[in-house]
Amino acid sequence: MFRTCTLAATLLLAGPVYAQEHAHPPAQAAAPAPQTHDHAPAPQPEQPPQQTHDGDHHPMHDGQMQHGQMQHGQMHHEMHQGPDEHAGHDMGATGSALGAYPTGRDASGTSWQPDVAEHGGVHAMAGDWMLMGHVLLNGVTDWQDGPQGDEKTFLAGMIMGAARRDFSNGGALNLRAMLAPDPLMGKRGYPLTFASGETADGVEPLVDRQHPHDLFMELSASYSHRLSATDSVFVYAGLPGEPAFGPPAFMHRLTAMDSPEAPITHHWLDSTHITFGVLTAGYVHDNMKLEVSRFRGREPDEERYDIETGALDSTAVRASWNPTQNWSLQISWADVTSPEQLAPDEDETRWSASAIYARPVFDGHWAITGALARKERSDGVDLDAWLVEAALKPNDAWTFFGRVEDIQSDELGGDHHGPVEDFTKASLGAIHDWRVHENAAIGLGGLVSYNWAPDALNARYGGDQPGAMAFVRLKIG
Ligand SMILES: [Cu+2]
């Protein structure tokens, strides 16, 4: 019942949006013209090709216009279009550091999101380098009810820096570092009903808890080369980094980034986002991309401050397609060698498919993600998961977010591999931000969640259980 209600609420984060949008006063409606079309990839006739950059102007420019407009009023957002504005500096590349497409399309690792997505960051130039910085820190008080539940107050989030250099031959070099304060919360992470994956002590799996992320979440370098106005190739290397699998990692996914709570589908969709050893090669043609990764299959161990190494023994392949500036679709496959430290003999084949839709609304945006994933374990057990997630940001101050997700797991019964059961969870939350600086905001938020335990585990969980989090957030960029 609550489940249906939450799903409805998640989807209805959209409802009023469509209704209200038509009531846009003319003054505003004049600006975001793109709201009325789902992006046909053709330059607008009344807009002459921009500036002087040589052949790099391509149809997706339209997307960047809108990208800027959904963030009116904030200077750093205008600066965000940096690469285009610096095009006059005789640099060959414009748009993304990974290819001939709008910067707004880039999400975590080499993954894509809709072109119109909001994109944070404080930007500055240092010689030939364009620098970007972004900080998101959550101080969270977490409460999970029931016999498996617990309480904890912790700090989580990320600090990210990137440096990009464009070359006149059409190449772009991008260096990125991302750090997490998570190890400070302790090796057992934080209580999260139905979450499982990784270990705190190298002996017992973490069950009904979310593991802390490693201090080094990403240390990566990429180089892309333009072949034409629409075609490019790139290589990406990370230690750690994110291989070409799944949708953007949750802390960078525009429908999830405002919630401090990790999805329980994390270990189906995006748990590879911290992989110690990744090499990816990709080819971009206009709004399509094909990438292949070789990476180390083993998940991070319980030492959260180190850099781990090992053979690149696993493979991922991902096809991405942004058919309009509002949509981002991907399908991916991975063959993962020995992902789990506690079950080294087991390999996994993973599949994922996802769709993200985003559009500007009011003075902000609305976005929704749907995702499916499957793990096929080498011991013959197949485990499916799905997720529907939405976020509505009507203005600079408020963000509302909701998620419904389901996993099949055999790890939550107390044995390493027990019977496979279905677990469903829903969350709804909101955060209010106060801008304390042009590039910084302090937020106060809360969320409630509900967990539906399978009948077979009613005794263990004491039936269905609620959870809640209250959090304060610092966001820079
Ligand atoms: Cu993670």
Side-chain angles (χ1 to χ4, degrees):
M1 185 57 183
F2 180 85
R3 178 171 2 190
T4 317
C5 293
T6 318
L7 179 56
T10 299
L11 295 171
L12 285 176
L13 280 176
V17 167
Y18 281 103
Q20 301 265 351
E21 196 169 319
H22 301 293
H24 253 302
Q28 287 194 11
Q35 284 183 2
T36 56
H37 66 273
D38 254 26
H39 178 62
Q44 305 201 1
E46 65 274 23
Q47 267 171 1
Q50 189 204 26
Q51 295 161 11
T52 53
H53 46 288
D54 36 5
D56 261 320
H57 179 75
H58 61 91
M60 302 310 275
H61 175 67
D62 185 21
Q64 283 173 322
M65 293 296 290
Q66 182 174 8
H67 174 56
Q69 272 161 0
M70 49 186 296
Q71 304 154 1
H72 28 123
Q74 290 169 44
M75 185 149 87
H76 71 276
H77 284 140
E78 264 131 46
M79 297 181 63
H80 165 60
Q81 301 203 0
D84 282 312
E85 290 172 3
H86 297 294
H89 295 179
D90 205 22
M91 294 182 183
T94 63
S96 166
L98 289 175
Y101 59 85
T103 45
R105 194 184 294 175
D106 284 324
S108 64
T110 57
S111 67
W112 279 2
Q113 62 187 4
D115 297 3
V116 298
E118 183 179 355
H119 210 270
V122 182
H123 296 79
M125 292 296 295
D128 289 336
W129 291 86
M130 191 179 82
L131 309 178
M132 193 276 278
H134 187 53
V135 174
L136 199 153
L137 295 173
N138 284 309
V140 185
T141 290
D142 169 21
W143 168 76
Q144 305 287 310
D145 206 3
Q148 288 294 107
D150 199 356
E151 295 175 26
K152 189 178 175 80
T153 296
F154 61 91
L155 182 67
M158 56 143 177
I159 299 166
M160 180 171 146
R164 168 179 173 175
R165 183 169 176 179
D166 292 343
F167 300 96
S168 52
N169 67 356
L173 175 66
N174 197 44
L175 309 174
R176 190 157 59 192
M178 191 158 49
L179 304 180
D182 294 33
L184 297 172
M185 73 174 73
K187 288 189 173 182
R188 296 192 67 236
Y190 61 89
L192 189 64
T193 303
F194 297 165
S196 67
E198 304 196 8
T199 176
D201 54 9
V203 181
E204 294 290 327
L206 277 169
V207 171
D208 295 307
R209 301 188 75 88
Q210 167 64 35
H211 63 78
H213 284 112
D214 285 59
L215 168 65
F216 297 106
M217 289 210 292
E218 182 171 10
L219 296 170
S220 74
S222 67
Y223 183 79
S224 73
H225 187 79
R226 305 293 173 95
L227 304 173
S228 73
T230 51
D231 291 48
S232 48
V233 288
F234 69 85
V235 288
Y236 164 96
L239 184 66
E242 182 179 314
F245 183 80
F250 70 90
M251 58 270 282
H252 304 277
R253 196 159 65 222
L254 62 160
T255 47
M257 56 178 30
D258 288 288
S259 171
E261 178 188 57
I264 60 170
T265 42
H266 184 38
H267 283 262
W268 278 252
L269 291 173
D270 51 3
S271 64
T272 46
H273 69 110
I274 304 178
T275 292
F276 283 100
V278 183
L279 207 52
T280 301
Y283 172 64
V284 177
H285 170 70
D286 197 8
N287 53 15
M288 285 177 279
K289 176 181 59 165
L290 189 63
E291 339 165 57
V292 180
S293 296
R294 284 290 285 172
F295 64 101
R296 180 172 178 258
R298 176 60 55 85
E299 294 174 341
D301 64 17
E302 69 276 15
E303 303 300 333
R304 300 294 175 181
Y305 293 96
D306 64 348
I307 298 275
E308 299 164 45
T309 54
L312 306 186
D313 52 13
S314 303
T315 306
V317 180
R318 177 167 60 193
S320 306
W321 182 34
N322 281 22
T324 76
Q325 62 187 351
N326 300 101
W327 283 98
S328 187
L329 314 174
Q330 69 84 28
I331 181 163
S332 48
W333 168 91
D335 182 47
V336 191
T337 300
S338 187
E340 297 199 40
Q341 184 180 349
L342 302 183
D345 297 338
E346 291 171 6
D347 301 329
E348 279 179 12
T349 300
R350 291 189 198 176
W351 294 88
S352 90
S354 64
I356 307 178
Y357 176 83
R359 64 182 297 152
V361 292
F362 306 114
D363 292 330
H365 69 262
W366 170 72
I368 185 165
T369 299
L372 296 169
R374 163 170 285 198
K375 288 196 235 190
E376 297 170 357
R377 231 166 38 206
S378 57
D379 63 356
V381 176
D382 294 349
L383 302 168
D384 291 336
W386 58 259
L387 160 150
V388 177
E389 194 179 68
L392 169 65
K393 185 174 174 58
N395 53 48
D396 195 41
W398 283 101
T399 309
F400 303 92
F401 51 86
R403 171 160 61 219
V404 181
E405 53 184 339
D406 182 274
I407 56 171
Q408 292 178 326
S409 174
D410 61 358
E411 291 175 2
L412 292 167
D415 303 317
H416 178 56
H417 288 331
V420 174
E421 302 288 349
D422 246 283
F423 301 82
T424 310
K425 169 175 182 158
S427 300
L428 269 180
I431 177 167
H432 186 283
D433 282 307
W434 287 269
R435 196 155 282 283
V436 294
H437 178 267
E438 170 192 316
N439 289 323
I442 303 274
L444 211 52
L447 68 88
V448 290
S449 59
Y450 205 77
N451 304 279
W452 288 270
D455 291 343
L457 296 178
N458 248 323
R460 178 175 166 86
Y461 283 98
D464 302 338
Q465 296 294 349
M469 291 182 179
F471 59 104
V472 52
R473 170 172 87 177
L474 169 66
K475 190 176 172 184
I476 300 175

